[in-house]
Amino acid sequence: MAHPSHARRLLRHTRTSASHRLRGPLLSNYGTVRFGENDNAPARTVALQYCRTNPDYQSAPGTDQAYCVLEEPIFDVPIVPPVMGCEVDELLIEGAEVVLVGMGQADAGPGYGQKREAWTTLQRIQDNEALLGGDGIDPCSGDSGGPAYVRAKDGSWRVFGIVSYGPIPCGVGRSEERRVGKECRSRW
């Protein structure tokens, strides 16, 4: 496996996302979680029990996180552990190679729903957000809620953030405009 793809689960019963995807009219779209390579033709769907958004969302940078609890556990999608403890200082360093995964719009090619990945670099951490990329590699509209991964020294992967926003239009190559909330712990 080259990377963990779109497995954005931290536990067998949960799924992470961006808070702004679970607010207002968008909330009605999240009665289920879709698994697979294409969001428009999922391999399977699983019902949700409930979702919670970060209560600090919109009051501080880096707070665009949410989680949903699934009705049933998922055993056939790998769990990717979060960056924790000493790994934060070891792995989340300037220039580290990172992978963003999403199912949003492409700057060229097919539209929403196809799983895509973007390999890029960590520019810096600022205000609890990771600033990523450059050279035309950015998340696009619809990628929000997707995971951001970094490779550990042993070759395994860790999730360190949730895609929140990027430049408009995407693919413009402006560096340091991709934002990923990096908080791995939760008070809520």
Side-chain angles (χ1 to χ4, degrees):
M1 172 188 283
H3 63 86
S5 193
H6 213 178
R8 47 187 173 195
R9 297 171 317 100
L10 300 178
L11 301 170
R12 298 224 179 269
H13 278 91
T14 62
R15 174 203 186 272
T16 58
S17 187
S19 284
H20 76 262
R21 292 194 55 106
L22 299 173
R23 297 254 174 181
L26 289 175
L27 184 57
S28 63
N29 296 332
Y30 286 93
T32 62
V33 172
R34 295 173 296 275
F35 289 88
E37 298 297 313
N38 191 317
D39 204 37
N40 299 317
R44 89 168 162 226
T45 59
V46 176
L48 296 173
Q49 284 185 16
Y50 62 88
C51 296
R52 298 284 185 267
T53 60
N54 186 334
D56 295 330
Y57 173 56
Q58 294 185 323
S59 66
T63 58
D64 191 9
Q65 306 107 11
Y67 70 91
C68 295
V69 174
L70 307 175
E71 286 284 344
E72 61 187 72
I74 303 300
F75 293 102
D76 59 340
V77 176
I79 293 175
V80 179
V83 170
M84 296 179 67
C86 297
E87 288 182 324
V88 171
D89 293 331
E90 293 172 12
L91 301 178
L92 298 183
I93 58 173
E94 186 175 312
E97 184 177 61
V98 299
V99 178
L100 306 176
V101 180
M103 292 189 170
Q105 182 68 40
D107 56 342
Y112 291 98
Q114 182 64 44
K115 186 185 300 181
R116 295 179 182 84
E117 63 188 57
W119 294 69
T120 189
T121 57
L122 175 64
Q123 301 296 328
R124 70 179 186 273
I125 304 289
Q126 175 182 314
D127 297 326
N128 205 36
E129 291 184 319
L131 284 73
L132 309 171
D135 298 325
I137 301 173
D138 1 275
C140 288
S141 179
D143 287 336
S144 296
Y149 298 107
V150 64
R151 192 184 318 249
K153 293 182 180 190
D154 66 3
S156 63
W157 291 92
R158 302 288 185 271
V159 65
F160 74 91
I162 300 167
V163 174
S164 179
Y165 60 95
I168 298 174
C170 61
V172 295
R174 295 175 295 200
S175 66
E176 300 183 358
E177 295 210 16
R178 276 62 53 209
R179 310 289 177 150
V180 176
K182 69 161 194 71
E183 187 169 311
C184 294
R185 64 195 180 284
S186 172
R187 300 181 315 277
W188 41 279

